[in-house]
Amino acid sequence: AQSVAQPEDQVNVAEGNPLTVKCTYSVSGNPYLFWYVQYPNRGLQFLLKYITGDNLVKGSYGFEAEFNKSQTSFHLKKPSALVSDSALYFCAVRASNTGGFKTIFGAGTRLFVKA
Amino acid sequence: DAGVIQSPRHEVTEMGQEVTLRCKPISGHDYLFWYRQTMMRGLELLIYFNNNVPIDDSGMPEDRFSAKMPNASFSTLKIQPSEPRDSAVYFCASSPHREPPYEQYFGPGTRLTVT
């Protein structure tokens, strides 16, 4: 069965500092991995995805994520955090070897960037 | 493109009443998803459609929930009768194709409160 774990309910970082939001996954076969962001009273918004190839994926708003197959991780990173990055972040996984389209979302990590 | 459109944005109803949530996916998208988000359970996939056909409804909690997609531009999620524990934010999302793996585009959600 597919699963996603986001071990931190909240991450606090000062503006200008690097940030990391952690994600680990479990899936049969090769994974497709996604990060989404949710601002208050809004739907989820796609940030980036890993399908295959380069383990470092770059996405919107300066975010990037590193796929690590041996550690089954897909941590979200940004070199310099902005106050406007404060939001709820979701990691998601979909198995590549199934006929379905079911994507499993993590519980979410709230990022708080302090000015 | 207007994005995924959901209506109503807010719905307050009394226990026992029928509730219908509506969704218009992005034109040309083959897949449509219904999710429910609560603090306790996070983001749950309820059902998804491919080309208007329900593919996986294993996440539908009870027979009180039903979903239809009569055409490519419209879907409904109905709860009858509604109960207080159905209170949540319901999201509709759409996606272009299965392969290569596309991200999902979420609507703004419908906040349902059942009293």
Side-chain angles (χ1 to χ4, degrees), chain B residues 8-13 18-21 110-114:
Chain B
R9 292 294 309 276
H10 302 273
E11 177 79 45
V12 180
T13 190
E18 176 181 302
V19 175
T20 299
L21 310 182
T110 295
R111 183 174 297 276
L112 174 64
T113 302
V114 183

Side-chain angles (χ1 to χ4, degrees), chain A residues 83-102:
Chain A
V83 172
S84 57
D85 293 330
S86 298
L88 187 58
Y89 290 81
F90 291 92
C91 182
V93 66
R94 181 189 141 198
S96 64
N97 61 349
T98 67
F101 204 128
K102 191 169 186 175

Side-chain angles (χ1 to χ4, degrees), chain B residues 7-82:
Chain B
S7 64
R9 292 294 309 276
H10 302 273
E11 177 79 45
V12 180
T13 190
E14 292 184 346
M15 181 175 62
Q17 296 298 307
E18 176 181 302
V19 175
T20 299
L21 310 182
R22 297 172 176 80
C23 175
K24 176 179 170 57
I26 294 173
S27 176
H29 283 194
D30 293 343
Y31 288 84
L32 183 139
F33 307 82
W34 282 101
Y35 290 90
R36 177 172 68 176
Q37 185 179 37
T38 62
M39 289 292 292
M40 292 296 294
R41 301 175 68 90
L43 193 66
E44 303 173 275
L45 176 65
L46 300 177
I47 184 171
Y48 77 89
F49 295 82
N50 178 24
N51 291 325
N52 313 337
V53 176
I55 302 301
D56 185 345
D57 66 354
S58 60
M60 296 286 262
E62 299 171 34
D63 291 345
R64 298 184 296 106
F65 286 69
S66 62
K68 294 182 179 180
M69 193 166 185
N71 58 62
S73 59
F74 184 65
S75 177
T76 60
L77 178 67
K78 184 178 294 186
I79 308 173
Q80 181 185 18
S82 58

Side-chain angles (χ1 to χ4, degrees), chain A residues 32 36 38 49 94 98 101, chain B residues 37 48 98 101 103-104:
Chain A
Y32 297 142
Y36 290 82
Q38 184 180 29
K49 63 185 175 185
R94 181 189 141 198
T98 67
F101 204 128
Chain B
Q37 185 179 37
Y48 77 89
R98 181 173 177 271
E103 58 274 19
Q104 296 178 29

Side-chain angles (χ1 to χ4, degrees), chain A residues 6 21 35-37 47 63 76 85 87-91 108-109 111:
Chain A
Q6 294 183 241
V21 182
W35 275 102
Y36 290 82
V37 60
L47 276 180
F63 283 93
L76 181 70
D85 293 330
L88 187 58
Y89 290 81
F90 291 92
C91 182
T109 298
L111 174 66

Side-chain angles (χ1 to χ4, degrees), chain A residues 12-50:
Chain A
N12 299 310
V13 64
E15 188 175 33
N17 284 1
L19 69 88
T20 299
V21 182
K22 296 180 180 178
C23 171
T24 59
Y25 66 90
S26 175
V27 68
S28 299
N30 294 320
Y32 297 142
L33 295 156
F34 305 82
W35 275 102
Y36 290 82
V37 60
Q38 184 180 29
Y39 297 101
N41 301 313
R42 303 283 294 276
L44 278 68
Q45 183 177 337
F46 170 75
L47 276 180
L48 51 80
K49 63 185 175 185
Y50 172 81

